[in-house]
Amino acid sequence: MARVSDLPLVVGRFPSGPTASVLDVPGAGLGHATVWRDEPGPPQGRGVARTGVTVLLPVAHPYRTPVPAGGAVLNGAGECTGFLAAGEWGLVESPVFLTSTMQLGRVYDAACELMLEEDEGIGEDVVIPVVAECDDSHLSDARRMQVTRADVEAAYAAARASVGSDVPPDQGAVGAGTGMSCLGFKGGIGTASRILPTGHVLGVLLLTNFGTRERLTIGGVPFGRLLPGPAAEPTPPDAGSCVGVVVTDAPVDAAGCARLARRVGLGLGRVGSVATHGSGEIFLAMSTAMAAPRGHRSTATPLHGNAHDDLFEAVVDATEEAVVASLLASPTVTGRGGHVVPGLDVDAVRDLLTRWHGTPPRADPTPGAPPATPSRTST
C-alpha cells in the first residue's frame, strides 16, 4: 500500500504523527470489516458486494464519557444519524460507524445492540449512534442488504484492538471504503494526522466518494488533466459524497468542534471537490480532551478565539492529505456489472510531482513543535 510519505509531497507546515492517521490521537481506535463477494444477482443470490463497515472509536466508552462534538454540512444529499442530537446537545455518545447508503439501517440496529450489550445502563435510557454513509452502488449491488451484524461487530472489535497501536491502519478499498470512487479513481478510506506546536494531536478520517477525474489536484498539480492513460468510466453528474470526521485531544468545546468540522470542506476543495447538487458532504468533529462522565461537565478550559487557528489549519491540511491517502492505497477494483474503477498510478503521480515541483525535503517539525511522536496516554 503506497502512502503519502512515498511521494515528494509536503502538505502544510505541521508534521504528521507516527502512523499519519487518527490513531495518533491518544485513545482513538479505527477498525474495518470488508464485505467482498461475487454471487448471482437477486433473487438467486446476493449479487456482487464491494462494501463494508468502518468504526472510529474516539474514546474507550463514549456512552459513559460522551465527547463534545459539532458538525457542518457542505451539501446535504446524504445521511448521518446522531447528527441532529450532536448539534442539540453538543455531544457524541457513540463510536462513529461508516458504511454504504443502503446498509445504514442495518448498521444502526447493530450499533444499538452492541452498545446495549456493552453498557447495561443504556437500557434505562436510549442511545443514538452516529452512522454515516456514502453510495457505493456503482460497484456494489444495493438490491440486497450486504452487511450483517457480524460485520459491524468485527469492525467494532478491530477498532478497540487498534487503540494505542503504532501501526498505520489499512486505508483505501477497505471497510466502508471498499466500493467508493474518488475523482475518477478508486477512493475509500483515507486518514491523516497533524501534531500542533502545543503538542496536541489532530486526526482526520474520510470516506471519499466524490468528484470527477478532470478536477483531481494533488499538491497544486492538475493531475486529472495531466495523467496518462484511458479515461475512467463516466459517473453520474451528481455522483459523489464525502464523510469527514475530525478527532483531536486539544480542549475544544462543541461550538469550536463545529468550526473545526466546517474546515474539512476547504481541504476537499483543494483536491477538486465542488460539492455537486446530489452529493453529501457531512462533517463531524470531536474533542477527546473535553470528554466527561455522563451527566458531568469537563473541568478542562476550552480554547477561545484565535487559539483555534492552528487547529483550523491542521484540519485543512490533514483533509487534503487524507484524500490523497485514500487514492494511493486503493487498487483497481472491478465490481457490479463489470464496472471498473482504476487505481491511481502512484509512479505517474510521483513523476509528475517531481517534474512540477522538484523534490522537496520532507517536512521538519514547525519551530517550537514537539518531536513527531506524541505521548500515548489513554483518554
Side-chain angles (χ1 to χ4, degrees):
M1 179 180 75
R3 304 181 67 196
V4 175
S5 59
D6 298 327
L7 299 178
L9 176 67
V10 175
V11 182
R13 63 191 178 99
F14 299 130
S16 297
T19 72
S21 78
V22 290
L23 293 182
D24 294 326
V25 180
L30 181 65
H32 310 289
T34 299
V35 180
W36 186 295
R37 68 169 66 92
D38 295 277
E39 294 182 4
Q44 291 82 12
R46 292 171 292 180
V48 174
R50 304 287 185 267
T51 192
V53 182
T54 292
V55 176
L56 172 62
L57 193 66
V59 295
H61 294 281
Y63 179 77
R64 300 175 197 170
T65 54
V67 294
V73 176
L74 190 60
N75 198 76
E79 185 57 80
C80 177
T81 67
F83 193 84
L84 287 176
E88 183 69 24
W89 295 335
L91 295 170
V92 159
E93 59 183 15
S94 86
V96 176
F97 298 81
L98 305 179
T99 190
S100 59
T101 304
M102 300 291 283
Q103 313 304 312
L104 185 141
R106 280 201 167 188
V107 174
Y108 187 95
D109 288 347
C112 287
E113 292 172 356
L114 290 169
M115 294 186 68
L116 283 165
E117 292 167 7
E118 185 176 66
D119 286 291
E120 293 183 358
I122 296 175
E124 300 175 0
D125 198 353
V126 296
V127 64
I128 305 175
V130 176
V131 186
E133 53 77 25
C134 290
D135 179 15
D136 60 13
S137 60
H138 184 65
L139 290 176
S140 193
D141 194 334
R143 295 176 295 167
R144 287 289 183 272
M145 298 299 101
Q146 305 287 3
V147 169
T148 67
R149 173 191 156 126
D151 299 316
V152 181
E153 189 170 8
Y156 193 15
R160 287 211 172 281
S162 73
V163 174
S165 173
D166 58 1
V167 178
D170 291 336
Q171 299 186 61
V174 295
T178 304
M180 304 299 171
S181 306
C182 183
L183 294 158
F185 295 91
K186 184 67 189 72
I189 295 294
T191 184
S193 67
R194 290 295 183 269
I195 302 176
L196 283 299
T198 57
H200 293 119
V201 186
L202 180 144
V204 171
L205 175 69
L206 300 181
L207 180 58
T208 65
N209 192 51
F210 66 91
T212 56
R213 174 170 173 157
E214 61 268 19
R215 295 197 60 85
L216 171 61
T217 305
I218 300 176
V221 181
F223 279 91
R225 300 197 302 270
L226 297 176
L227 280 173
E233 294 181 2
T235 55
D238 287 335
S241 298
C242 186
V243 175
V245 186
V246 180
V247 185
T248 183
D249 65 353
V252 183
D253 62 15
C257 285
R259 301 180 74 196
L260 291 182
R262 199 171 297 124
R263 269 66 182 180
V264 173
L266 295 175
L268 296 184
R270 283 184 179 177
V271 295
S273 172
V274 296
T276 57
H277 167 75
S279 64
E281 283 79 23
I282 302 174
F283 316 133
L284 190 69
M286 299 174 284
S287 168
T288 62
M290 301 287 290
R294 193 173 185 83
H296 295 76
R297 296 183 62 181
S298 171
T299 59
T301 301
L303 299 176
H304 291 282
N306 59 12
H308 292 91
D309 284 347
D310 282 351
L311 290 168
F312 293 158
E313 183 177 345
V315 171
V316 178
D317 292 340
T319 297
E320 178 183 4
E321 184 171 308
V323 174
V324 178
S326 76
L327 293 165
L328 294 177
S330 296
T332 296
V333 173
T334 301
R336 179 182 67 84
H339 293 160
V340 178
V341 180
L344 187 63
D345 186 333
V346 179
D347 291 334
V349 172
R350 184 183 296 109
D351 291 345
L352 276 173
L353 276 171
T354 301
R355 295 207 307 268
W356 196 277
H357 292 307
T359 306
R362 296 305 304 165
D364 292 326
T366 302
T373 302
S375 61
R376 302 205 62 85
T377 56
S378 297
T379 300

